[in-house]
Amino acid sequence: MPWTTIVKSSRDREIVPNLHDYGSIHASFTWEQARQDLEGLRDNQGLNIAHEAIDRHANGAHASHVAIRWLGKNGTIEDYSYGQLQDLTNRFANLLQQLGVARGDRVFVLAGRIPELYIAALGTFKNRSVFCPLFSAFGPEPIRARLNIGQANVLVTTASLYQRKVAGIRAAIPNLQHILLIGEDRQRTAIAGTQDLWTRMQQASPSFAIGPTDPEDIALLHFTSGTTGTPKGAIHVHQAVVAHHMTGKYALDFHKDDVFWCTADPGWVTGTSYGIIAPLTNGITSIVDEGDFDAERWYRILQDERVTVWYTAPTAIRMMMKGGAGLVRKFNLRHLRFLASVGEPLNPEAVVWGQEAFGQPFHDNWWQTETGGIMIANYASMDIQPGSMGRPLPGIEAAIVHKTEAGTIELLENPGEQGELALRPGWPSMFRGYWNEPERYQKCFAGGWYLTGDLAKKDEQGYFWFVGRADDVIKSSGHLIGPFEVESVLIEHKAVAEAGVIGKPDPVAMEVVKAFVSLKDGYEPSEELRRELLGFARARLGAAVAPKEIAFLPTLPKTRSGKIMRRLLKARELGLPEGDTSTLEG
Ligand code: AMP
């Protein structure tokens, strides 16, 4: 069914959107000008994310404003003002100095959404070391791989996660120098080979002066997955803060009295760029909820915390839709004025359901780990075509392209033509490389464009529409999963000869990880073996990455060069045409 445009009128709004006139602001925008919204370090000593996020507010009239309101799983509420965050992040930066952790060294954090995660991230920026978040639902194998690829110097984690996921692989991370642990309820910990974070924090000084920071100094390493090979560490620099700040203002429409809730986990890029940095640079209050998704509890948070701007994800929205709009209307959500969504395609039904349940649509936006910030969005001031990702941010040039066999780029300029979504490099939060993998980085560019790996089209009015991924990467509950990482673990099992992993469409999670395996001689498919393999994969990979389904096949379809044809596995699973099978092994 064709969806009608959701028309915005100025009468709908009490607050004038920051991007009140898309056309004129887009036309006159420059990144140099956007940089002027930030303060920069004193005496022209550069640009540091933590200065913009905390110190410049803490050093002024905003010191007592709540920066982060933390909602603990057990009902605890803790407020951290900009002034308090300054004290705590200074202590963390001093602690890093005492440990001899240098500019450019990697500080990994493996934790759920607890205050220490936020303190460590911002303190790491202050020390000009590199913050690398790890999703707490990863199992030991993804954790080990990322710590080694990123050459971790420091790991901050909880005592419980350490014991469950790290202690067993400690010997396989030989270069890790320091492990800082957070005890249950901040009780002191005394585990051999580790240090207690809060003991060290208390001993550290609350004063810290951020050293000169080159805007191109590396600030963040965010792991993402490709079709093949190991996870890739996307490098982001301090200058990215210009894009975080600006997109917070234009795409999420932050205003000074906002209470903002980003439901993403900082283990994934949205939870860092918009769960930590953008709301703080804009000086607003950010809600951090430790708990997992629960529709009713979420509505209560929106109501009780008087959330004004809410940034969430399609999987959560689809789960809320199951509970119906009636449940939403039991809550008083009159403060809520802007709803946004990211991470996967947002179906038009969900955009429109926003209208029915919350009295306003969800605003879809698009970006990825490599882009560091929102690139294409639906804005508060702009009419919405349900199902579209919207239009490029000021400062962003996007196009639909085709890469020829010869490697040249053709622009597909006719409305509705499908091709790869490409962006013109040059915005501040653009990734600067994959850690230690220059070739993989180079492969992302052609003809002066960055190729995103997504297929899309553009309509007459310049709105972009997502079509699908150009590769085999899986999106499950908003998380990007590399099939190779899953296959590598499955073939470690003694019964497995080969494994091929695909994303199987799912009405809520968009895709679930499904594995096909063939067995070694001497092993027979059985329900018991299937369950054993599911458990084996889950123990190693963790719930977020492990397959939900495993099927046995006598052999897997392969190309003549021996590569497993995931595309064919997927087509067969879905009963779709098999496409070009000319390279299929005979
Ligand atoms: P990640 O790097 O984990 O943030 O994943 C980025 C990928 O998620 C993109 O390349 C898209 O494939 C997908 N994605 C993100 N936002 C959207 C959106 N609004 N619509 C469709 N796909 C999206």
Side-chain angles (χ1 to χ4, degrees):
M1 120 176 188
W3 297 89
T4 23
T5 306
I6 297 174
V7 179
K8 301 281 186 62
S9 98
S10 53
R11 273 174 295 130
D12 298 341
R13 303 176 218 112
E14 285 165 28
I15 295 179
V16 180
N18 292 318
L19 193 75
H20 49 84
D21 179 352
Y22 177 81
S24 71
I25 296 178
H26 193 275
S28 62
F29 178 89
T30 64
W31 287 109
E32 291 68 34
Q33 206 185 355
R35 162 76 177 76
Q36 301 311 311
D37 270 6
L38 299 174
E39 193 174 62
L41 293 173
R42 72 204 169 284
D43 306 329
N44 283 329
Q45 293 203 20
L47 188 64
N48 185 294
I49 296 176
H51 176 83
E52 305 305 330
I54 310 170
D55 289 0
R56 78 167 166 140
H57 306 301
N59 294 340
H62 223 52
S64 57
H65 193 76
V66 176
I68 290 178
R69 165 165 284 203
W70 178 69
L71 312 177
K73 267 185 191 157
N74 58 5
T76 320
I77 297 180
E78 288 176 12
D79 280 347
Y80 295 85
S81 67
Y82 281 90
Q84 285 165 321
L85 262 192
Q86 181 177 46
D87 173 307
L88 290 163
T89 54
N90 283 352
R91 286 174 191 270
F92 189 82
N94 279 317
L95 163 54
L96 291 181
Q97 297 238 319
Q98 285 162 15
L99 294 172
V101 179
R103 189 176 188 171
D105 285 355
R106 273 80 50 214
V107 178
F108 278 69
V109 180
L110 170 69
R113 292 178 296 278
I114 54 175
E116 289 84 347
L117 164 60
Y118 298 78
I119 294 164
L122 294 156
T124 300
F125 297 144
K126 286 192 168 178
N127 195 46
R128 298 165 296 163
S129 305
V130 181
F131 170 62
C132 318
L134 290 172
F135 189 40
S136 58
F138 280 154
E141 182 47 34
I143 294 170
R144 184 203 60 76
R146 286 161 179 75
L147 288 170
N148 281 335
I149 295 168
Q151 299 164 293
N153 302 88
V154 180
L155 173 65
V156 179
T157 186
T158 65
S160 143
L161 284 168
Y162 178 77
Q163 273 158 332
R164 284 188 286 133
K165 304 191 177 191
V166 184
I169 52 163
R170 178 71 187 88
I173 322 158
N175 297 324
L176 180 62
Q177 291 140 15
H178 308 285
I179 299 178
L180 297 165
L181 292 190
I182 306 146
E184 191 75 30
D185 296 328
R186 298 186 187 141
Q187 299 284 325
R188 302 233 157 135
T189 61
I191 298 176
T194 71
Q195 305 191 52
D196 182 66
L197 175 75
W198 280 106
T199 307
R200 297 289 312 239
M201 287 278 284
Q202 274 151 12
Q203 291 158 356
S205 159
S207 310
F208 186 88
I210 299 176
T213 311
D214 189 313
E216 285 295 308
D217 275 354
I218 302 179
L220 273 157
L221 194 59
H222 249 294
F223 280 91
T224 182
S225 298
T227 304
T228 55
T230 50
K232 309 176 272 191
I235 294 170
H236 289 289
V237 297
H238 277 273
Q239 189 165 189
V241 68
V242 180
H244 298 143
H245 184 80
M246 178 284 256
T247 51
K249 196 166 115 183
Y250 285 156
L252 299 174
D253 199 37
F254 290 158
H255 283 73
K256 73 176 178 31
D257 295 323
D258 273 326
V259 176
F260 171 61
W261 184 22
C262 170
T263 60
D265 189 282
W268 305 92
V269 71
T270 304
T272 302
S273 296
Y274 299 96
I276 306 180
I277 301 170
L280 297 180
T281 65
N282 280 279
I284 62 177
T285 298
S286 194
I287 302 293
V288 173
D289 173 39
E290 190 191 10
D292 291 327
F293 175 81
D294 174 88
E296 202 164 334
R297 202 175 55 80
W298 276 28
Y299 301 142
R300 182 153 293 115
I301 292 174
L302 291 170
Q303 169 185 276
D304 294 354
E305 302 308 330
R306 300 177 175 201
V307 172
T308 54
V309 180
W310 185 31
Y311 195 21
T312 188
T315 297
I317 298 170
R318 289 191 287 265
M319 292 201 280
M320 287 184 270
M321 286 170 77
K322 282 186 163 181
L327 180 60
V328 184
R329 291 202 216 96
K330 287 191 184 152
F331 295 83
N332 177 352
L333 304 182
R334 71 191 163 86
H335 295 94
L336 201 53
R337 68 171 178 84
F338 190 73
L339 316 181
S341 164
V342 72
E344 322 152 45
L346 184 66
N347 27 327
E349 294 86 344
V351 176
V352 173
W353 184 74
Q355 292 267 60
E356 188 197 333
F358 299 94
Q360 49 196 309
F362 281 99
H363 295 75
D364 187 19
N365 57 56
W366 177 96
W367 60 292
Q368 53 180 198
T369 305
E370 286 82 348
T371 70
I374 302 170
M375 296 283 108
I376 297 177
N378 286 287
Y379 307 94
S381 61
M382 202 170 82
D383 296 347
I384 295 183
Q385 314 284 354
S388 160
M389 309 189 290
R391 296 163 82 183
L393 264 287
I396 301 301
E397 187 186 349
I400 304 297
V401 306
H402 170 68
K403 189 175 170 189
T404 64
E405 295 269 312
T408 56
I409 291 294
E410 287 169 6
L411 283 182
L412 305 181
E413 287 173 302
N414 294 328
E417 269 188 288
Q418 181 179 315
E420 186 162 358
L421 176 62
L423 303 166
R424 183 77 78 191
W427 67 94
S429 65
M430 169 74 182
F431 76 132
R432 299 297 197 266
Y434 291 123
W435 190 258
N436 282 340
E437 292 193 280
E439 277 170 25
R440 267 175 125 181
Y441 177 67
Q442 286 309 326
K443 275 196 192 148
C444 301
F445 299 88
W449 292 92
Y450 162 65
L451 303 175
T452 65
D454 279 358
L455 300 174
K457 35 193 189 181
K458 185 170 133 178
D459 66 18
E460 292 83 0
Q461 293 162 292
Y463 284 71
F464 284 78
W465 299 74
F466 182 80
V467 174
R469 291 283 309 184
D471 57 22
D472 292 339
V473 170
I474 299 161
K475 255 281 154 128
S476 186
S477 301
H479 303 147
L480 210 60
I481 297 169
F484 181 75
E485 195 168 16
V486 182
E487 290 160 2
S488 306
V489 159
L490 284 170
I491 57 171
E492 281 177 26
H493 189 278
K494 59 183 186 313
V496 175
E498 326 170 286
V501 166
I502 63 160
K504 177 181 162 183
D506 180 88
V508 174
M510 189 175 140
E511 291 187 312
V512 292
V513 178
K514 174 157 187 174
F516 295 87
V517 298
S518 66
L519 298 177
K520 287 187 183 148
D521 287 348
Y523 291 93
E524 289 298 323
S526 69
E527 189 48 31
E528 197 189 341
L529 181 56
R530 206 176 58 79
R531 274 202 303 270
E532 183 183 321
L533 288 175
L534 284 169
F536 174 83
R538 199 181 157 99
R540 301 232 173 167
L541 292 164
V545 184
K548 300 276 181 293
E549 290 180 29
I550 295 185
F552 296 108
L553 288 178
T555 55
L556 299 189
K558 286 188 284 302
T559 60
R560 291 200 193 99
S561 58
K563 270 202 330 210
I564 290 169
M565 292 179 82
R566 300 187 188 110
R567 181 177 56 75
L568 208 58
L569 285 170
K570 190 157 179 170
R572 288 177 182 169
E573 170 74 22
L574 303 181
L576 295 173
E578 297 195 353
D580 179 9
T581 52
S582 58
T583 59
L584 186 64
E585 189 185 50

